[in-house]
PDB file of all heavy atoms in Angstrom:
ATOM      1  N   PRO A   1     -38.920 141.036 117.133  1.00 98.00           N
ATOM      2  CA  PRO A   1     -39.174 139.735 117.114  1.00 98.00           C
ATOM      3  C   PRO A   1     -38.665 138.977 115.886  1.00 98.00           C
ATOM      4  O   PRO A   1     -38.121 137.825 115.996  1.00 98.00           O
ATOM      5  CB  PRO A   1     -40.829 139.682 117.101  1.00 98.00           C
ATOM      6  CG  PRO A   1     -41.187 140.910 117.698  1.00 98.00           C
ATOM      7  CD  PRO A   1     -40.111 141.967 117.382  1.00 98.00           C
ATOM      8  N   ASP A   2     -38.707 139.527 114.716  1.00 98.00           N
ATOM      9  CA  ASP A   2     -38.142 138.871 113.551  1.00 98.00           C
ATOM     10  C   ASP A   2     -36.636 138.697 113.619  1.00 98.00           C
ATOM     11  O   ASP A   2     -36.180 137.576 113.313  1.00 98.00           O
ATOM     12  CB  ASP A   2     -38.488 139.667 112.264  1.00 98.00           C
ATOM     13  CG  ASP A   2     -39.941 139.752 111.932  1.00 98.00           C
ATOM     14  OD1 ASP A   2     -40.634 138.763 112.265  1.00 98.00           O
ATOM     15  OD2 ASP A   2     -40.300 140.799 111.317  1.00 98.00           O
ATOM     16  N   GLY A   3     -35.975 139.717 114.215  1.00 98.00           N
ATOM     17  CA  GLY A   3     -34.451 139.647 114.403  1.00 98.00           C
ATOM     18  C   GLY A   3     -34.247 138.539 115.538  1.00 98.00           C
ATOM     19  O   GLY A   3     -33.352 137.737 115.474  1.00 98.00           O
ATOM     20  N   ASP A   4     -35.000 138.594 116.519  1.00 98.00           N
ATOM     21  CA  ASP A   4     -34.892 137.529 117.621  1.00 98.00           C
ATOM     22  C   ASP A   4     -35.009 136.177 117.067  1.00 98.00           C
ATOM     23  O   ASP A   4     -34.216 135.238 117.422  1.00 98.00           O
ATOM     24  CB  ASP A   4     -36.024 137.705 118.606  1.00 98.00           C
ATOM     25  CG  ASP A   4     -35.909 139.051 119.345  1.00 98.00           C
ATOM     26  OD1 ASP A   4     -34.822 139.701 119.355  1.00 98.00           O
ATOM     27  OD2 ASP A   4     -36.952 139.426 120.132  1.00 98.00           O
ATOM     28  N   ALA A   5     -35.970 135.938 116.057  1.00 98.00           N
ATOM     29  CA  ALA A   5     -36.089 134.585 115.525  1.00 98.00           C
ATOM     30  C   ALA A   5     -34.919 134.195 114.674  1.00 98.00           C
ATOM     31  O   ALA A   5     -34.438 132.985 114.740  1.00 98.00           O
ATOM     32  CB  ALA A   5     -37.309 134.540 114.688  1.00 98.00           C
ATOM     33  N   LEU A   6     -34.264 135.144 113.980  1.00 98.00           N
ATOM     34  CA  LEU A   6     -33.072 134.921 113.174  1.00 98.00           C
ATOM     35  C   LEU A   6     -31.856 134.515 114.129  1.00 98.00           C
ATOM     36  O   LEU A   6     -31.168 133.635 113.949  1.00 98.00           O
ATOM     37  CB  LEU A   6     -32.717 136.203 112.553  1.00 98.00           C
ATOM     38  CG  LEU A   6     -31.530 136.043 111.393  1.00 98.00           C
ATOM     39  CD1 LEU A   6     -31.846 137.128 110.284  1.00 98.00           C
ATOM     40  CD2 LEU A   6     -30.292 136.281 111.958  1.00 98.00           C
ATOM     41  N   VAL A   7     -31.727 135.273 115.197  1.00 98.00           N
ATOM     42  CA  VAL A   7     -30.681 135.013 116.150  1.00 98.00           C
ATOM     43  C   VAL A   7     -30.879 133.624 116.709  1.00 98.00           C
ATOM     44  O   VAL A   7     -29.915 132.835 116.985  1.00 98.00           O
ATOM     45  CB  VAL A   7     -30.561 136.137 117.271  1.00 98.00           C
ATOM     46  CG1 VAL A   7     -29.602 135.703 118.273  1.00 98.00           C
ATOM     47  CG2 VAL A   7     -30.122 137.391 116.619  1.00 98.00           C
ATOM     48  N   GLU A   8     -32.094 133.226 117.015  1.00 98.00           N
ATOM     49  CA  GLU A   8     -32.366 131.957 117.687  1.00 98.00           C
ATOM     50  C   GLU A   8     -32.023 130.855 116.751  1.00 98.00           C
ATOM     51  O   GLU A   8     -31.464 129.832 117.182  1.00 98.00           O
ATOM     52  CB  GLU A   8     -33.874 131.832 118.164  1.00 98.00           C
ATOM     53  CG  GLU A   8     -34.136 130.603 118.768  1.00 98.00           C
ATOM     54  CD  GLU A   8     -33.416 130.257 120.006  1.00 98.00           C
ATOM     55  OE1 GLU A   8     -32.804 131.177 120.685  1.00 98.00           O
ATOM     56  OE2 GLU A   8     -33.508 128.956 120.440  1.00 98.00           O
ATOM     57  N   ALA A   9     -32.313 131.102 115.460  1.00 98.00           N
ATOM     58  CA  ALA A   9     -31.989 129.956 114.505  1.00 98.00           C
ATOM     59  C   ALA A   9     -30.461 129.883 114.396  1.00 98.00           C
ATOM     60  O   ALA A   9     -29.913 128.670 114.402  1.00 98.00           O
ATOM     61  CB  ALA A   9     -32.540 130.355 113.192  1.00 98.00           C
ATOM     62  N   ALA A  10     -29.834 130.903 114.363  1.00 98.00           N
ATOM     63  CA  ALA A  10     -28.251 130.870 114.336  1.00 98.00           C
ATOM     64  C   ALA A  10     -27.640 130.237 115.537  1.00 98.00           C
ATOM     65  O   ALA A  10     -26.831 129.401 115.519  1.00 98.00           O
ATOM     66  CB  ALA A  10     -27.686 132.182 114.061  1.00 98.00           C
ATOM     67  N   ARG A  11     -28.239 130.642 116.705  1.00 98.00           N
ATOM     68  CA  ARG A  11     -27.895 130.146 117.986  1.00 98.00           C
ATOM     69  C   ARG A  11     -28.028 128.578 118.107  1.00 98.00           C
ATOM     70  O   ARG A  11     -27.237 127.826 118.464  1.00 98.00           O
ATOM     71  CB  ARG A  11     -28.686 130.700 119.219  1.00 98.00           C
ATOM     72  CG  ARG A  11     -28.090 130.434 120.482  1.00 98.00           C
ATOM     73  CD  ARG A  11     -29.075 130.646 121.617  1.00 98.00           C
ATOM     74  NE  ARG A  11     -30.335 129.727 121.591  1.00 98.00           N
ATOM     75  CZ  ARG A  11     -30.069 128.376 121.931  1.00 98.00           C
ATOM     76  NH1 ARG A  11     -28.975 127.886 122.422  1.00 98.00           N
ATOM     77  NH2 ARG A  11     -31.244 127.613 121.786  1.00 98.00           N
ATOM     78  N   GLU A  12     -29.288 128.077 117.621  1.00 97.00           N
ATOM     79  CA  GLU A  12     -29.521 126.646 117.625  1.00 97.00           C
ATOM     80  C   GLU A  12     -28.495 125.886 116.637  1.00 97.00           C
ATOM     81  O   GLU A  12     -28.044 124.772 117.052  1.00 97.00           O
ATOM     82  CB  GLU A  12     -30.955 126.433 117.235  1.00 97.00           C
ATOM     83  CG  GLU A  12     -31.971 126.742 118.256  1.00 97.00           C
ATOM     84  CD  GLU A  12     -33.371 126.524 117.736  1.00 97.00           C
ATOM     85  OE1 GLU A  12     -33.483 126.096 116.542  1.00 97.00           O
ATOM     86  OE2 GLU A  12     -34.231 126.830 118.478  1.00 97.00           O
ATOM     87  N   ALA A  13     -28.174 126.563 115.592  1.00 97.00           N
ATOM     88  CA  ALA A  13     -27.328 125.822 114.685  1.00 97.00           C
ATOM     89  C   ALA A  13     -25.901 125.672 115.197  1.00 97.00           C
ATOM     90  O   ALA A  13     -25.225 124.630 115.019  1.00 97.00           O
ATOM     91  CB  ALA A  13     -27.245 126.659 113.343  1.00 97.00           C
ATOM     92  N   ILE A  14     -25.416 126.746 115.935  1.00 98.00           N
ATOM     93  CA  ILE A  14     -24.062 126.715 116.514  1.00 98.00           C
ATOM     94  C   ILE A  14     -23.979 125.816 117.602  1.00 98.00           C
ATOM     95  O   ILE A  14     -23.003 125.053 117.863  1.00 98.00           O
ATOM     96  CB  ILE A  14     -23.600 128.189 116.892  1.00 98.00           C
ATOM     97  CG1 ILE A  14     -23.545 128.966 115.632  1.00 98.00           C
ATOM     98  CG2 ILE A  14     -22.307 128.080 117.619  1.00 98.00           C
ATOM     99  CD1 ILE A  14     -22.579 128.425 114.529  1.00 98.00           C
ATOM    100  N   ALA A  15     -25.092 125.712 118.555  1.00 96.00           N
ATOM    101  CA  ALA A  15     -25.056 124.826 119.738  1.00 96.00           C
ATOM    102  C   ALA A  15     -25.046 123.385 119.255  1.00 96.00           C
ATOM    103  O   ALA A  15     -24.703 122.613 120.072  1.00 96.00           O
ATOM    104  CB  ALA A  15     -26.353 125.196 120.486  1.00 96.00           C
ATOM    105  N   ALA A  16     -25.445 123.135 117.956  1.00 96.00           N
ATOM    106  CA  ALA A  16     -25.526 121.736 117.658  1.00 96.00           C
ATOM    107  C   ALA A  16     -24.184 121.335 116.972  1.00 96.00           C
ATOM    108  O   ALA A  16     -23.944 120.223 116.626  1.00 96.00           O
ATOM    109  CB  ALA A  16     -26.635 121.506 116.481  1.00 96.00           C
ATOM    110  N   THR A  17     -23.256 122.161 116.883  1.00 96.00           N
ATOM    111  CA  THR A  17     -21.906 121.892 116.198  1.00 96.00           C
ATOM    112  C   THR A  17     -20.927 121.282 117.304  1.00 96.00           C
ATOM    113  O   THR A  17     -21.183 121.322 118.487  1.00 96.00           O
ATOM    114  CB  THR A  17     -21.202 123.023 115.660  1.00 96.00           C
ATOM    115  OG1 THR A  17     -20.933 124.046 116.686  1.00 96.00           O
ATOM    116  CG2 THR A  17     -22.077 123.798 114.577  1.00 96.00           C
ATOM    117  N   GLU A  18     -19.798 120.794 116.812  1.00 95.00           N
ATOM    118  CA  GLU A  18     -18.751 120.286 117.656  1.00 95.00           C
ATOM    119  C   GLU A  18     -17.428 121.170 117.285  1.00 95.00           C
ATOM    120  O   GLU A  18     -17.314 121.734 116.157  1.00 95.00           O
ATOM    121  CB  GLU A  18     -18.638 118.826 117.525  1.00 95.00           C
ATOM    122  CG  GLU A  18     -19.764 118.052 117.812  1.00 95.00           C
ATOM    123  CD  GLU A  18     -19.393 116.451 117.601  1.00 95.00           C
ATOM    124  OE1 GLU A  18     -18.542 116.204 117.031  1.00 95.00           O
ATOM    125  OE2 GLU A  18     -20.231 115.728 118.210  1.00 95.00           O
ATOM    126  N   PRO A  19     -16.381 121.083 118.174  1.00 96.00           N
ATOM    127  CA  PRO A  19     -15.170 121.706 117.844  1.00 96.00           C
ATOM    128  C   PRO A  19     -14.628 121.241 116.403  1.00 96.00           C
ATOM    129  O   PRO A  19     -14.825 119.991 116.047  1.00 96.00           O
ATOM    130  CB  PRO A  19     -14.313 121.333 118.904  1.00 96.00           C
ATOM    131  CG  PRO A  19     -15.063 121.190 120.089  1.00 96.00           C
ATOM    132  CD  PRO A  19     -16.426 120.628 119.527  1.00 96.00           C
ATOM    133  N   MET A  20     -14.195 122.130 115.742  1.00 97.00           N
ATOM    134  CA  MET A  20     -13.767 121.822 114.228  1.00 97.00           C
ATOM    135  C   MET A  20     -12.266 121.781 114.112  1.00 97.00           C
ATOM    136  O   MET A  20     -11.523 122.487 114.838  1.00 97.00           O
ATOM    137  CB  MET A  20     -14.336 122.815 113.347  1.00 97.00           C
ATOM    138  CG  MET A  20     -15.907 122.934 113.393  1.00 97.00           C
ATOM    139  SD  MET A  20     -16.645 124.155 112.310  1.00 97.00           S
ATOM    140  CE  MET A  20     -18.400 123.760 112.225  1.00 97.00           C
ATOM    141  N   ILE A  21     -11.781 121.006 113.141  1.00 97.00           N
ATOM    142  CA  ILE A  21     -10.441 120.872 112.839  1.00 97.00           C
ATOM    143  C   ILE A  21      -9.912 122.138 112.141  1.00 97.00           C
ATOM    144  O   ILE A  21     -10.536 122.727 111.231  1.00 97.00           O
ATOM    145  CB  ILE A  21     -10.187 119.708 111.792  1.00 97.00           C
ATOM    146  CG1 ILE A  21     -10.552 118.439 112.625  1.00 97.00           C
ATOM    147  CG2 ILE A  21      -8.661 119.626 111.440  1.00 97.00           C
ATOM    148  CD1 ILE A  21     -10.628 117.256 111.525  1.00 97.00           C
ATOM    149  N   MET A  22      -8.861 122.676 112.745  1.00 97.00           N
ATOM    150  CA  MET A  22      -8.164 123.931 112.205  1.00 97.00           C
ATOM    151  C   MET A  22      -6.864 123.393 111.462  1.00 97.00           C
ATOM    152  O   MET A  22      -6.433 122.401 111.632  1.00 97.00           O
ATOM    153  CB  MET A  22      -7.735 124.807 113.378  1.00 97.00           C
ATOM    154  CG  MET A  22      -8.880 125.261 114.425  1.00 97.00           C
ATOM    155  SD  MET A  22     -10.270 126.109 113.582  1.00 97.00           S
ATOM    156  CE  MET A  22      -9.613 127.653 113.570  1.00 97.00           C
ATOM    157  N   LEU A  23      -6.474 124.305 110.612  1.00 97.00           N
ATOM    158  CA  LEU A  23      -5.448 124.042 109.660  1.00 97.00           C
ATOM    159  C   LEU A  23      -4.146 123.647 110.328  1.00 97.00           C
ATOM    160  O   LEU A  23      -3.402 122.804 109.720  1.00 97.00           O
ATOM    161  CB  LEU A  23      -5.319 125.066 108.600  1.00 97.00           C
ATOM    162  CG  LEU A  23      -6.531 125.310 107.537  1.00 97.00           C
ATOM    163  CD1 LEU A  23      -6.503 126.586 106.977  1.00 97.00           C
ATOM    164  CD2 LEU A  23      -6.484 124.133 106.566  1.00 97.00           C
ATOM    165  N   ASN A  24      -3.742 124.356 111.228  1.00 96.00           N
ATOM    166  CA  ASN A  24      -2.454 124.201 111.935  1.00 96.00           C
ATOM    167  C   ASN A  24      -2.493 124.708 113.375  1.00 96.00           C
ATOM    168  O   ASN A  24      -3.476 125.344 113.811  1.00 96.00           O
ATOM    169  CB  ASN A  24      -1.242 124.844 111.073  1.00 96.00           C
ATOM    170  CG  ASN A  24      -1.463 126.299 110.950  1.00 96.00           C
ATOM    171  OD1 ASN A  24      -1.564 127.051 111.881  1.00 96.00           O
ATOM    172  ND2 ASN A  24      -1.335 126.786 109.718  1.00 96.00           N
ATOM    173  N   GLU A  25      -1.413 124.503 113.948  1.00 96.00           N
ATOM    174  CA  GLU A  25      -1.342 124.740 115.447  1.00 96.00           C
ATOM    175  C   GLU A  25      -1.287 126.251 115.681  1.00 96.00           C
ATOM    176  O   GLU A  25      -2.025 126.741 116.523  1.00 96.00           O
ATOM    177  CB  GLU A  25       0.007 124.204 116.040  1.00 96.00           C
ATOM    178  CG  GLU A  25       0.007 124.104 117.463  1.00 96.00           C
ATOM    179  CD  GLU A  25       1.202 123.356 117.918  1.00 96.00           C
ATOM    180  OE1 GLU A  25       2.212 123.363 117.257  1.00 96.00           O
ATOM    181  OE2 GLU A  25       1.168 122.639 119.033  1.00 96.00           O
ATOM    182  N   GLY A  26      -0.736 126.963 114.793  1.00 96.00           N
ATOM    183  CA  GLY A  26      -0.672 128.424 114.815  1.00 96.00           C
ATOM    184  C   GLY A  26      -2.013 129.051 114.716  1.00 96.00           C
ATOM    185  O   GLY A  26      -2.433 130.002 115.550  1.00 96.00           O
ATOM    186  N   ILE A  27      -2.755 128.658 113.851  1.00 97.00           N
ATOM    187  CA  ILE A  27      -4.149 129.075 113.548  1.00 97.00           C
ATOM    188  C   ILE A  27      -5.092 128.765 114.660  1.00 97.00           C
ATOM    189  O   ILE A  27      -5.912 129.512 115.289  1.00 97.00           O
ATOM    190  CB  ILE A  27      -4.745 128.679 112.240  1.00 97.00           C
ATOM    191  CG1 ILE A  27      -3.972 129.257 111.215  1.00 97.00           C
ATOM    192  CG2 ILE A  27      -6.333 128.868 112.194  1.00 97.00           C
ATOM    193  CD1 ILE A  27      -4.398 128.902 109.735  1.00 97.00           C
ATOM    194  N   ALA A  28      -4.985 127.518 115.239  1.00 96.00           N
ATOM    195  CA  ALA A  28      -5.783 126.993 116.400  1.00 96.00           C
ATOM    196  C   ALA A  28      -5.429 127.919 117.615  1.00 96.00           C
ATOM    197  O   ALA A  28      -6.326 128.322 118.418  1.00 96.00           O
ATOM    198  CB  ALA A  28      -5.439 125.546 116.730  1.00 96.00           C
ATOM    199  N   ASN A  29      -4.104 128.182 117.873  1.00 96.00           N
ATOM    200  CA  ASN A  29      -3.756 129.020 119.050  1.00 96.00           C
ATOM    201  C   ASN A  29      -4.310 130.436 118.907  1.00 96.00           C
ATOM    202  O   ASN A  29      -4.836 130.995 119.879  1.00 96.00           O
ATOM    203  CB  ASN A  29      -2.190 129.068 119.249  1.00 96.00           C
ATOM    204  CG  ASN A  29      -1.703 127.784 119.808  1.00 96.00           C
ATOM    205  OD1 ASN A  29      -2.360 126.997 120.331  1.00 96.00           O
ATOM    206  ND2 ASN A  29      -0.274 127.656 119.636  1.00 96.00           N
ATOM    207  N   SER A  30      -4.251 130.954 117.628  1.00 96.00           N
ATOM    208  CA  SER A  30      -4.678 132.348 117.486  1.00 96.00           C
ATOM    209  C   SER A  30      -6.105 132.410 117.556  1.00 96.00           C
ATOM    210  O   SER A  30      -6.660 133.333 118.145  1.00 96.00           O
ATOM    211  CB  SER A  30      -4.266 132.711 116.149  1.00 96.00           C
ATOM    212  OG  SER A  30      -4.666 134.089 115.771  1.00 96.00           O
ATOM    213  N   TYR A  31      -6.828 131.399 117.133  1.00 97.00           N
ATOM    214  CA  TYR A  31      -8.216 131.438 117.258  1.00 97.00           C
ATOM    215  C   TYR A  31      -8.785 131.400 118.744  1.00 97.00           C
ATOM    216  O   TYR A  31      -9.604 132.000 119.157  1.00 97.00           O
ATOM    217  CB  TYR A  31      -8.914 130.233 116.486  1.00 97.00           C
ATOM    218  CG  TYR A  31     -10.417 130.210 116.618  1.00 97.00           C
ATOM    219  CD1 TYR A  31     -11.237 131.061 115.957  1.00 97.00           C
ATOM    220  CD2 TYR A  31     -11.081 129.139 117.345  1.00 97.00           C
ATOM    221  CE1 TYR A  31     -12.539 131.016 116.065  1.00 97.00           C
ATOM    222  CE2 TYR A  31     -12.334 129.081 117.449  1.00 97.00           C
ATOM    223  CZ  TYR A  31     -13.169 130.061 116.821  1.00 97.00           C
ATOM    224  OH  TYR A  31     -14.524 129.960 116.932  1.00 97.00           O
ATOM    225  N   GLN A  32      -8.080 130.503 119.522  1.00 96.00           N
ATOM    226  CA  GLN A  32      -8.342 130.332 121.008  1.00 96.00           C
ATOM    227  C   GLN A  32      -8.040 131.653 121.660  1.00 96.00           C
ATOM    228  O   GLN A  32      -9.071 132.120 122.488  1.00 96.00           O
ATOM    229  CB  GLN A  32      -7.429 129.303 121.573  1.00 96.00           C
ATOM    230  CG  GLN A  32      -7.779 129.020 123.084  1.00 96.00           C
ATOM    231  CD  GLN A  32      -6.834 128.206 123.835  1.00 96.00           C
ATOM    232  OE1 GLN A  32      -5.562 128.470 123.502  1.00 96.00           O
ATOM    233  NE2 GLN A  32      -7.295 127.342 124.592  1.00 96.00           N
ATOM    234  N   ARG A  33      -7.073 132.370 121.317  1.00 96.00           N
ATOM    235  CA  ARG A  33      -6.776 133.653 122.014  1.00 96.00           C
ATOM    236  C   ARG A  33      -7.835 134.681 121.542  1.00 96.00           C
ATOM    237  O   ARG A  33      -8.330 135.421 122.383  1.00 96.00           O
ATOM    238  CB  ARG A  33      -5.453 134.156 121.628  1.00 96.00           C
ATOM    239  CG  ARG A  33      -4.230 133.306 122.264  1.00 96.00           C
ATOM    240  CD  ARG A  33      -2.938 134.136 122.102  1.00 96.00           C
ATOM    241  NE  ARG A  33      -2.656 134.421 120.690  1.00 96.00           N
ATOM    242  CZ  ARG A  33      -1.923 133.514 119.898  1.00 96.00           C
ATOM    243  NH1 ARG A  33      -1.497 132.458 120.293  1.00 96.00           N
ATOM    244  NH2 ARG A  33      -1.620 134.018 118.693  1.00 96.00           N
ATOM    245  N   GLY A  34      -8.226 134.696 120.257  1.00 96.00           N
ATOM    246  CA  GLY A  34      -9.164 135.641 119.790  1.00 96.00           C
ATOM    247  C   GLY A  34     -10.549 135.454 120.233  1.00 96.00           C
ATOM    248  O   GLY A  34     -11.225 136.508 120.613  1.00 96.00           O
ATOM    249  N   THR A  35     -10.963 134.217 120.316  1.00 96.00           N
ATOM    250  CA  THR A  35     -12.406 134.024 120.780  1.00 96.00           C
ATOM    251  C   THR A  35     -12.407 134.269 122.368  1.00 96.00           C
ATOM    252  O   THR A  35     -13.476 134.741 122.853  1.00 96.00           O
ATOM    253  CB  THR A  35     -12.886 132.604 120.434  1.00 96.00           C
ATOM    254  OG1 THR A  35     -11.874 131.656 120.799  1.00 96.00           O
ATOM    255  CG2 THR A  35     -13.065 132.506 118.896  1.00 96.00           C
ATOM    256  N   ALA A  36     -11.424 133.879 122.924  1.00 95.00           N
ATOM    257  CA  ALA A  36     -11.429 134.074 124.431  1.00 95.00           C
ATOM    258  C   ALA A  36     -11.510 135.581 124.770  1.00 95.00           C
ATOM    259  O   ALA A  36     -12.236 136.134 125.758  1.00 95.00           O
ATOM    260  CB  ALA A  36     -10.193 133.429 125.040  1.00 95.00           C
ATOM    261  N   ALA A  37     -10.787 136.342 124.043  1.00 96.00           N
ATOM    262  CA  ALA A  37     -10.633 137.828 124.152  1.00 96.00           C
ATOM    263  C   ALA A  37     -12.118 138.428 123.809  1.00 96.00           C
ATOM    264  O   ALA A  37     -12.633 139.264 124.583  1.00 96.00           O
ATOM    265  CB  ALA A  37      -9.541 138.461 123.324  1.00 96.00           C
ATOM    266  N   LEU A  38     -12.626 137.969 122.747  1.00 97.00           N
ATOM    267  CA  LEU A  38     -14.027 138.415 122.316  1.00 97.00           C
ATOM    268  C   LEU A  38     -15.065 138.124 123.370  1.00 97.00           C
ATOM    269  O   LEU A  38     -15.838 138.904 123.748  1.00 97.00           O
ATOM    270  CB  LEU A  38     -14.477 137.803 121.012  1.00 97.00           C
ATOM    271  CG  LEU A  38     -13.712 138.351 119.781  1.00 97.00           C
ATOM    272  CD1 LEU A  38     -14.081 137.556 118.537  1.00 97.00           C
ATOM    273  CD2 LEU A  38     -14.057 139.805 119.409  1.00 97.00           C
ATOM    274  N   SER A  39     -14.925 137.006 123.918  1.00 95.00           N
ATOM    275  CA  SER A  39     -15.943 136.482 124.838  1.00 95.00           C
ATOM    276  C   SER A  39     -15.838 137.232 126.141  1.00 95.00           C
ATOM    277  O   SER A  39     -16.798 137.393 126.990  1.00 95.00           O
ATOM    278  CB  SER A  39     -15.747 134.980 125.246  1.00 95.00           C
ATOM    279  OG  SER A  39     -16.006 134.184 124.129  1.00 95.00           O
ATOM    280  N   ASN A  40     -14.709 137.996 126.399  1.00 96.00           N
ATOM    281  CA  ASN A  40     -14.519 138.711 127.592  1.00 96.00           C
ATOM    282  C   ASN A  40     -14.518 140.287 127.361  1.00 96.00           C
ATOM    283  O   ASN A  40     -14.104 140.998 128.128  1.00 96.00           O
ATOM    284  CB  ASN A  40     -13.350 138.395 128.243  1.00 96.00           C
ATOM    285  CG  ASN A  40     -13.212 136.936 128.893  1.00 96.00           C
ATOM    286  OD1 ASN A  40     -13.868 136.922 130.103  1.00 96.00           O
ATOM    287  ND2 ASN A  40     -12.763 135.984 128.342  1.00 96.00           N
ATOM    288  N   THR A  41     -14.931 140.662 126.178  1.00 97.00           N
ATOM    289  CA  THR A  41     -15.101 142.083 125.692  1.00 97.00           C
ATOM    290  C   THR A  41     -16.266 142.631 126.134  1.00 97.00           C
ATOM    291  O   THR A  41     -17.348 142.135 125.775  1.00 97.00           O
ATOM    292  CB  THR A  41     -14.864 142.209 124.205  1.00 97.00           C
ATOM    293  OG1 THR A  41     -13.527 141.662 123.765  1.00 97.00           O
ATOM    294  CG2 THR A  41     -15.116 143.684 123.699  1.00 97.00           C
ATOM    295  N   PRO A  42     -16.336 143.794 126.914  1.00 97.00           N
ATOM    296  CA  PRO A  42     -17.522 144.505 127.286  1.00 97.00           C
ATOM    297  C   PRO A  42     -18.336 144.965 125.999  1.00 97.00           C
ATOM    298  O   PRO A  42     -17.649 145.324 125.067  1.00 97.00           O
ATOM    299  CB  PRO A  42     -17.043 145.710 127.924  1.00 97.00           C
ATOM    300  CG  PRO A  42     -15.632 145.307 128.441  1.00 97.00           C
ATOM    301  CD  PRO A  42     -15.004 144.445 127.434  1.00 97.00           C
ATOM    302  N   GLY A  43     -19.528 144.644 126.101  1.00 97.00           N
ATOM    303  CA  GLY A  43     -20.488 144.933 124.898  1.00 97.00           C
ATOM    304  C   GLY A  43     -20.700 143.775 124.035  1.00 97.00           C
ATOM    305  O   GLY A  43     -21.570 143.866 123.198  1.00 97.00           O
ATOM    306  N   LEU A  44     -20.035 142.643 124.241  1.00 98.00           N
ATOM    307  CA  LEU A  44     -20.304 141.481 123.546  1.00 98.00           C
ATOM    308  C   LEU A  44     -20.835 140.500 124.520  1.00 98.00           C
ATOM    309  O   LEU A  44     -20.296 140.313 125.541  1.00 98.00           O
ATOM    310  CB  LEU A  44     -18.942 140.838 122.863  1.00 98.00           C
ATOM    311  CG  LEU A  44     -18.466 141.749 121.741  1.00 98.00           C
ATOM    312  CD1 LEU A  44     -17.240 141.053 121.183  1.00 98.00           C
ATOM    313  CD2 LEU A  44     -19.398 141.940 120.603  1.00 98.00           C
TER     314      LEU A  44
END
């Protein structure tokens, strides 16, 4: 339960954010590829 409460607080904080400005096009592209891959990784 304590860990659950921690995860929920982090989840609420992230859900309240908006897309953020990245430094350049290359970094933005790399981040898009990286997060899409993570989101589709078994175990995550």
Side-chain angles (χ1 to χ4, degrees):
D2 295 329
D4 293 345
L6 190 156
V7 174
E8 178 60 20
R11 190 200 68 75
E12 290 178 357
I14 295 305
T17 65
E18 296 180 350
M20 296 177 170
I21 297 168
M22 308 298 281
L23 290 161
N24 62 51
E25 197 171 30
I27 289 176
N29 284 347
S30 179
Y31 180 72
Q32 184 193 42
R33 293 193 302 271
T35 52
L38 286 171
S39 298
N40 288 278
T41 296
L44 291 178

